[in-house]
Every structure is written in C-alpha cells, then in structure tokens.
Amino acid sequence: MKKIVIIATSLFISLSMQAQDRPQPKPGPAPKINIGKPQTFELKNGLKVLVVENDKLPRVSYNLTIDNAPYAEGAKKGVADLTSSLIGNGTKTISKDAFNEEIDFLGASINFGSNGAYASGLSKYSTRIMELMADGALNPVFTQEEFDKEKAKLIEGLKAEEKSVPSIANRVQKVLAYGKNHPNGEYLSEETINKVTLEDVNQNYTTYFNPQNAYLVIVGDVKFAEVKANVEKLFGTWKKGVAPQVSYSAPKDVQYTQINFVDAPNAVQSEIAAVHITNLKMTDKDYFAALVANQILGGDFNSYLNMNLREAHGWTYGARSGLRGNKYTSNFSASTQVRNAVTDSAVVEILKEIKRIRTEKVSDETLKNVKAGYIGKFVMDIEKPATVARYALQTKTQGLPADFYENYIKNINAVTADDVLRVSKKYFLADNLRIVIVSKAGDVLPGLEKLNIPIFYFDKYGNKVEKPEEKKVSADVTAKSVLEKYIAAIGGKKAVSDVKTLSVKGAGAFQGMTVEYTKKSSNTNKINETLSMMGQSMSKVFNGTKGYQAGGGQKMDFSEEENKQMKFHSNPIPELSMLEKTDIKLNGIENINGKDAYVIQDGESKFCYDVESGLKVAEISTVEAQGQKMTINQPFSDYKEIKGVKFPHKTAINIGVEIELIMSEIKVNEGVSEADFQ
C-alpha cells in the first residue's frame, strides 16, 4: 500500500481546492454604508430585545445570547457541553421527534446551546419558528436516556481525537497560556465527563440559563409591533435570575521567549503556535490599528507570514495570526502547520516576521491593499442578516458607541503606517512568546536545539515532563534483519515468496462520504491502485517498466525517478524487493502509536516495524502536491492470515484529517490479470 498515500493526497487536494484561500481582487473605493439601527425594548425579567426590520428577503433570524461571564467547571468539565447537547431534545409540550419533524416541515433551522439559541427561516413562518425556539429554550426536558446517549457521544468524540496532533496542540496552547483552572484553559477528559450527572446538567441550566444577561436579536422581514407582542407572550414568563459572577487570576505571559514542546510520536507534521496573552478591547483607541496590523502580519492571504512560509518557501498550505478584541482576557497567536523537516526553519521565519512588523514601517502600497481588502470583506458581510445581528449584539455586550459600525470604514481608513508600527510593538510581544510546538521529538528536536531558544517539555495535557529520550538500537540489529523478521512474522520466506498476485478491496468514510480503495499487484512489480470519493477517482498504474497517474480526465506519465521507485514498491510484499536494495538504512527506534518500532529509511520514505512482534506498523512518506511538500503517516494493524500469509486489514490515510480504511476483501493469487496493468 506504499503509493496509496500519494493517491489519497492528490484526490483530497483536488476535492478541497475550492476551500483554499485565494488572493482577492482589489476592491474599488469603499462605499458608505448604513447598518440598520435596532429598535429595542426590555422585559421585566431582564431580557433585552433588539429588532432590525429588513424586508429585502422574506426571511427572519432569531439570535438568543446569554452573555454570562466565563466560568470554570473544574472536576466536572463537560457540564456545559452536555447541557448544550440536551437542550432542544424535546420539550414539556412536544416530543423530540415531533419537534424536529416540524422544523423540517417549515424548512427552518433551530439550534440550542447552554448559552442561548439560534433560529432562522421564512418570514411567513416567523411566529411559529419563534414559538418553537422559545419552547425548546425555556421548557427543555432532560431525561436519563438522552443524557446517557449524549455522554457516550461526547466520550467517543474525545477518543477519536486522542491521537489528533491539531487537537493536542489546541488543548496544550490553552492550558499553557491560561492555566488549567482558568475557564479558557480547562479541557474535557473522559474522567471529568464521567463525573457529570443528570442533576449537574439540571443545575447548570437553572443557574446559567436565565434572562438577566440575555439578548434576543431579531433581524429580517418582520414588524416591530408584532414581534414585540410575540416576545412578551413567549419570553415574559421566563423566570428572572442572575448567574454568579466568578473572578479568576489574570493569566501571565512567560518572562522570556521559549519553546514549549510536546512529543507526539505519530505526528507527520508540526503544529506551531507563537502565543501570548492580550487584553485588547473593542473600545480601545488602538483597536482598529491593531486589526490592520494583524491583517498585515497574518490575517489574510498576502500577509507577511503566509507570503513567507507558504509562497516563498512552500512549507505550508497556510500561516496565520489572530488578535481579537474582547471584554474578557484573550490571546494573540501566530500559527502554522509544516512538515517535521522544516520545523526549526519555520520558527525562525515566524519570529523574523513578528520582528519585522515591530521594527519596519509597512509600505504604503501594502497598507492600502490590506485596508481595501478588509473594508471589502466588511461591506460584503453586512449584507448578511447574521452579521447585522452580531454587530447589534456586540454593540450592547462590548459597550460600543451606537455609531461604532457606521464609523467602521472611516476608522480603518484612518490607520497609518505609524499606527501599525506603534500597536505592533504593543500587541505582538516578541520577547514574551510561548512557541508551542507539537511534533515528533526524534524528527525536530535536533534542529530546534540549534536555535538557542530555551526548550521546556510537556505532555499532551500540558503537564511538565522530562526531555524525551532517544532509544538505542542493539549492534546486532540491521535493516536487513528487521526486514527478515517482518517476513518471518507474516508467514515465512517460502509462504511470502509464493504470493504471486494480490487483490485488495477496502472502504472508509470522510465527513459522511464513502471512500473506496482497490489495489491489484503482482510479484513482477506491477500495480494498479485506485482511490475513489464523491464520484471522482485517482489511479496509479505501473506495468513493471513504466507507469502513470490518472484522474479527473487527465493522465500523467511517471518520471524516470518515479518509475524507479515504483519498481521496488509494487511487489505485493515490498519487503522482498527492499531486501535487494543497498541504499536503505536503519534509522533507529521511534515510538509509533505508543510502542517502539524500528525505522528503516528508504529515500524520503520510512518503514516502521514493531520491535516486539516484527510486524509493520506504519509507512511515513513525503509527497509533493500542488507545489507543496507534505508528510503522510499510514498506519497498519489488524493482521489476518490469508493462505498462510498475514496481511493488515486496517489502515488509514492522514492528510490533515484521518481517513480510516477497512479491507473487506484480500485475495492471494486470484482476481488479477495482465489487463489490470495496461
């Protein structure tokens, strides 16, 4: 299955290119805008209602937000998640199924959470949509049966992300930046979820789901008088209450820039994020200058970070930075994902670009283009009802002036190069950065140690640990002995040599879509390998001498080097061919999925074999697609015997997302003909 990773990569990228960022055309002069002013009223229970009449389309949206201060859940982290999952699963007046059926019948959308609800649909059904939303939000029914189901799903989701490097990186960044006891730093675990009871959910709802800090924003084809009457009728009985106010110690940045490293043995690329705390508020005089500065540094396609790491070096599909204004503590982050081999170089370039924006004035041309692009997006966004609702809500919850968004374009245009330089020095802290890196220690630590940046080590939950130790290979172990042990483990030299042809069929799923995989190969170094998804397929065919890749109606012949590689790896048991090679080498021992494995290097590919069992557990390949290099980790497991030889029946393709493939059919010495390799 050596080449499936390249097929999967090509197919995945082909299907996902539409989602990739593209440079936007330069917009013309910014138009004057007029954001609809909301009409407001307040119920006796404290609910604040904002109504924006807009009859451009026969639609309406309702956004109920409870603006409580963040709170920590401690040993029972998961209460709010489970509360969110259970709200909307039926009410005291209507069953879950009947509730969902009526929503579908109306063609509406209604979602609930522990901090509010959202609904939208055609305005002719506006009254009924509001009734359903109000009923679901104010009269939920929490049953033990539904609680147990949602709890199981939450735990299952955690298990699915257990080995996800992006998930680990996201968790550790928050833990280190804020601390485990801060609302922004605590994280879900199976242990905390299992401590949550149905009574905890009921208590959470009673404590925090109340109208004192609640805002209902209504935007669309409605009449204020009618809406007001309906809101008073449906929400007037909502029992008044006040959520508790809890204070937390302010998180602090590190005293000096440092690398916080997490070893992820299964990582095929590094997650890098340079982070620090920020207290930027939307009401600050620096707010608009800070927004523009962030756009220049890493906010859009043409930013310093993206043009450096993606366009100039081809190390990543995207590099970005984020800086948000918020009345609560938040953080700045400059982040990217790169293949392990260039991790240290990427760190150097990220620091270089942060230093650049802090010390060099941005050019007039760049500043002009960034402001024009930002304003263009702003103008497009205000055509969306959801944006109008968000702006109306933020004006209230963030304490903004009533004309904040009317003056938005003027304030963006007023930002100067001097302003950008000034706020960059204030909000991008070059000397107090946590450079959080989650990657494979054996691949990246030697390079990182040469940067002369202090390195501290943490586990995947943010606990401090010792530096990962490199394991030594016994002197009597060689690449050849590892391959021979593998051949013995799967059936022995004679049985393996008797495998003349191999036919494999498998399938998996990706975001609800079926992925089908087939492979036919022969011991004359011929192969036909195909991956199909959404009616599209990508194939690689090699006839023993030369081959090609086909997909999307196009066919591309292999290069001389690709033909050479295919010749060695098209054998049904590639290790038989690898035994004949003289340029492979044993790289050492690495931790693969929690177990030690010998790693054999063959060109830019690594083959990993369990130290104890001898079975192959992974192939790690570096491939190039759309001008970018990426590293793919393909695991192998669930070995089963077919005609005296063991074959893995489970594998996966990891290309940013993991697609697990289960082999449903493996045939030895049948189902393959010469026509398959034409």
Side-chain angles (χ1 to χ4, degrees), residues 565-636:
Q565 288 295 318
M566 291 295 289
K567 190 168 185 176
F568 271 98
H569 297 291
S570 297
N571 194 304
I573 314 293
E575 283 70 15
L576 289 174
S577 299
M578 289 172 67
L579 277 171
E580 302 173 11
K581 300 189 73 173
T582 59
D583 57 347
I584 61 173
K585 61 181 180 179
L586 182 61
N587 260 8
I589 297 175
E590 295 184 8
N591 187 304
I592 304 294
N593 295 325
K595 299 188 71 176
D596 290 339
Y598 292 119
V599 178
I600 293 178
Q601 185 85 35
D602 181 9
E604 291 196 8
S605 297
K606 294 180 179 180
F607 299 81
C608 309
Y609 302 86
D610 185 87
V611 168
E612 185 177 343
S613 69
L615 295 174
K616 180 164 59 180
V617 292
E619 292 182 13
I620 302 172
S621 305
T622 300
V623 300
E624 185 169 339
Q626 303 297 327
Q628 305 284 343
K629 282 190 175 182
M630 61 190 301
T631 305
I632 310 297
N633 183 359
Q634 183 180 14
F636 300 99

Side-chain angles (χ1 to χ4, degrees), residues 54 59-63 118-120 217-220 380-394:
N54 185 334
R59 297 191 63 82
V60 63
S61 68
Y62 303 94
N63 188 347
Y118 175 81
S120 65
V217 182
I218 303 170
V219 179
M380 288 192 297
D381 282 347
I382 61 173
E383 296 297 319
K384 304 171 185 176
T387 301
V388 175
R390 185 173 74 253
Y391 289 169
L393 180 64
Q394 285 182 333

Side-chain angles (χ1 to χ4, degrees), residues 313-351:
H313 288 100
W315 292 339
T316 180
Y317 282 103
R320 65 206 66 83
S321 66
L323 179 68
R324 294 181 59 193
N326 196 295
K327 65 180 178 180
Y328 303 112
T329 300
S330 58
N331 71 290
F332 161 78
S333 174
S335 61
T336 190
Q337 304 81 35
V338 300
R339 64 187 190 279
N340 294 351
V342 298
T343 301
D344 54 331
S345 300
V347 170
V348 170
E349 295 305 315
I350 289 171
L351 293 177

Side-chain angles (χ1 to χ4, degrees), residues 654-667:
N654 193 319
I655 45 179
V657 294
E658 188 167 281
I659 305 175
E660 185 177 77
L661 295 175
I662 305 297
M663 301 306 135
S664 58
E665 178 182 276
I666 296 181
K667 294 181 178 181

Side-chain angles (χ1 to χ4, degrees), residues 593 616-618 635-640 647-652 660:
N593 295 325
K616 180 164 59 180
V617 292
F636 300 99
S637 60
D638 192 23
Y639 279 80
K640 297 177 184 179
F647 295 94
H649 281 61
K650 184 182 292 186
T651 185
E660 185 177 77

Side-chain angles (χ1 to χ4, degrees), residues 344 440-451 455 467 470:
D344 54 331
K440 190 173 184 176
D443 288 353
V444 306
L445 278 183
L448 292 175
E449 289 171 341
K450 294 177 182 178
L451 300 181
I455 304 177
K467 177 183 175 180
E470 182 179 352

Side-chain angles (χ1 to χ4, degrees), residues 332-551:
F332 161 78
S333 174
S335 61
T336 190
Q337 304 81 35
V338 300
R339 64 187 190 279
N340 294 351
V342 298
T343 301
D344 54 331
S345 300
V347 170
V348 170
E349 295 305 315
I350 289 171
L351 293 177
K352 185 178 85 172
E353 296 303 342
I354 292 175
K355 179 181 179 181
R356 175 187 174 191
I357 198 170
R358 284 171 47 89
T359 57
E360 298 178 12
K361 273 191 183 182
V362 61
S363 71
D364 291 339
E365 182 69 16
T366 296
L367 180 60
K368 176 184 175 182
N369 291 338
V370 165
K371 290 196 290 188
Y374 200 91
I375 290 169
K377 185 177 184 303
F378 174 80
V379 171
M380 288 192 297
D381 282 347
I382 61 173
E383 296 297 319
K384 304 171 185 176
T387 301
V388 175
R390 185 173 74 253
Y391 289 169
L393 180 64
Q394 285 182 333
T395 299
K396 293 292 185 180
T397 60
Q398 301 293 322
L400 305 178
D403 60 355
F404 182 85
Y405 288 104
E406 278 73 11
N407 291 325
Y408 202 93
I409 292 177
K410 181 181 74 174
N411 286 324
I412 290 290
N413 275 328
V415 175
T416 66
D418 286 326
D419 292 331
V420 171
L421 186 62
R422 174 177 54 81
V423 299
S424 295
K425 292 178 179 179
K426 181 177 180 180
Y427 291 105
F428 307 141
L429 306 182
D431 298 325
N432 306 96
L433 284 169
R434 289 185 185 271
I435 306 172
V436 182
I437 300 175
V438 181
S439 190
K440 190 173 184 176
D443 288 353
V444 306
L445 278 183
L448 292 175
E449 289 171 341
K450 294 177 182 178
L451 300 181
N452 293 320
I453 300 174
I455 304 177
F456 300 94
Y457 302 93
F458 299 85
D459 66 14
K460 61 183 181 179
Y461 298 105
N463 300 306
K464 204 162 187 178
V465 296
E466 296 297 320
K467 177 183 175 180
E469 292 185 9
E470 182 179 352
K471 297 194 175 181
K472 303 296 183 182
V473 179
S474 173
D476 60 346
V477 178
T478 64
K480 182 178 180 180
S481 70
V482 171
L483 294 174
E484 289 174 340
K485 184 176 180 179
Y486 168 71
I487 290 171
I490 63 173
K493 186 72 175 286
K494 183 180 184 308
V496 170
S497 298
D498 285 341
V499 178
K500 308 302 181 184
T501 65
L502 189 67
S503 176
V504 176
K505 287 184 180 180
F510 170 66
Q511 295 184 353
M513 299 175 288
T514 299
V515 180
E516 296 180 339
Y517 169 69
T518 61
K519 183 184 79 169
K520 293 186 178 183
S521 58
S522 78
N523 66 348
T524 55
N525 296 321
K526 299 175 182 179
I527 191 169
N528 182 331
E529 196 167 25
T530 301
L531 196 71
S532 303
M533 181 167 59
M534 290 180 63
Q536 297 190 47
S537 63
M538 193 73 68
S539 299
K540 284 188 175 287
V541 180
F542 184 71
N543 65 10
T545 303
K546 59 183 180 179
Y548 60 88
Q549 176 176 300

